[in-house]
Amino acid sequence: MLQAALNGGVRRDQHGGVPTSADALAADFRACLEVGVSRFHVHPRDGIGHESLEWADVSAVLDVVPPSAVMGVSTAEWIEPDSSRRRSAIRSWTGRLASASVNLGEPGSLQLMRLLVDKGIGIEAGIWTVGDVDVLARSGLADRLLRVLVEPFAARVDDALSQVAELHDALDAAGVGAPRLQHGDGDATWLLLEDALRRGIDTRIGLEDTLRLPDGRLAEGNLELVLAAQALGAGGD
């Protein structure tokens, strides 16, 4: 499965093609669907372009998601650093939200996961370090996951492959059987995408992870990144 990570925290001054409004996201949903990609990871924004967990902003994006698309969002600490406000925002979520990612290395991650379980929202557990695997293994929630995100945050190209190998080994040793999606960010993006393809596991691509194509050229937008990933062998659903 290839997931399209459409925006993350990327600003318009960093890339003019990053979709921040609901209308811009709707255009990218349609473009990706036309080439066979229907799984999406999105960071909704408020009226001035800031990442938001508030239901009004999340639902504005859900309102433009085509019926054949499946969308998940992030619960990252940097979106709302106050853990109480973060949980309060998530408690207000309703509607057809398929999943939310939770970074195991962030404070309050297990409380967020339990809240998502109670709301029937699928969990993508973000694993950055071997220590995060230990937290997951002790949580009692490893069998409640939609998938594990193997994502060595800000990994350097020269050690990214060894980092993900350690993460996979730790997940195997802990008996975590949930499907895995591996991706990188920045310079390590394409290296880790190709490694995921070699491993036969899910991966993702989009402006959240990189602004550049495999040859180093600036991508026009999410569709060009998706097409480049497909040219390397990544599928859709």
Side-chain angles (χ1 to χ4, degrees):
M1 182 267 287
L2 178 64
Q3 183 185 79
L6 298 180
N7 56 2
V10 178
R11 304 185 308 272
R12 295 280 294 177
D13 64 326
Q14 294 174 301
H15 192 293
V18 66
T20 56
S21 68
D23 287 345
L25 284 164
D28 272 10
F29 289 144
R30 293 192 297 270
C32 291
L33 282 168
E34 287 178 1
V35 298
V37 172
S38 63
R39 309 284 175 163
F40 298 94
H41 177 76
V42 174
H43 290 218
R45 308 291 180 96
D46 63 18
I48 58 175
H50 294 159
E51 296 171 84
S52 173
L53 299 177
E54 296 301 321
W55 179 242
D57 302 314
V58 175
S59 62
V61 179
L62 280 172
D63 285 346
V64 302
V65 175
S68 57
V70 178
M71 189 188 90
V73 299
S74 174
T75 65
E77 181 185 24
W78 62 79
I79 300 175
E80 175 48 78
D82 185 297
S83 59
S84 177
R85 290 179 184 174
R86 193 160 26 136
R87 289 193 299 272
S88 177
I90 292 169
R91 286 192 191 98
S92 72
W93 290 358
T94 59
R96 62 183 187 94
L97 183 60
S99 64
S101 62
V102 178
N103 299 322
L104 267 293
E106 294 178 345
S109 60
L110 299 185
Q111 293 95 319
L112 285 183
M113 290 172 68
R114 295 186 185 102
L115 178 56
L116 293 171
V117 168
D118 290 344
K119 297 188 72 64
I121 297 172
I123 300 169
E124 295 185 314
I127 301 297
W128 296 356
T129 68
V130 171
D132 294 345
V133 178
D134 294 337
V135 172
L136 177 60
R138 294 195 304 269
S139 71
L141 295 167
D143 62 347
R144 306 298 298 271
L145 305 180
L146 180 64
R147 62 180 62 89
V148 173
L149 305 179
V150 179
E151 44 183 11
F153 188 69
R156 302 190 308 272
V157 171
D158 57 356
D159 60 7
L161 292 179
S162 62
Q163 286 188 46
V164 294
E166 290 178 357
L167 294 177
H168 285 293
D169 288 346
L171 288 165
D172 290 343
V176 178
R180 299 176 194 178
L181 184 154
Q182 176 179 298
H183 75 96
D185 64 288
D187 292 343
T189 299
W190 293 104
L191 177 69
L192 292 184
L193 183 145
E194 291 186 88
D195 183 65
L197 297 179
R198 286 191 293 269
R199 292 177 180 273
I201 59 177
D202 296 339
T203 189
R204 80 178 202 188
I205 196 63
L207 290 172
E208 175 172 354
D209 295 337
T210 183
L211 308 183
R212 299 195 174 275
L213 297 165
D215 62 7
R217 289 182 296 116
L218 187 69
E220 292 182 3
N222 282 302
L223 179 59
E224 192 172 19
L225 291 169
V226 165
L227 292 173
Q230 290 178 326
L232 293 172
D237 292 342

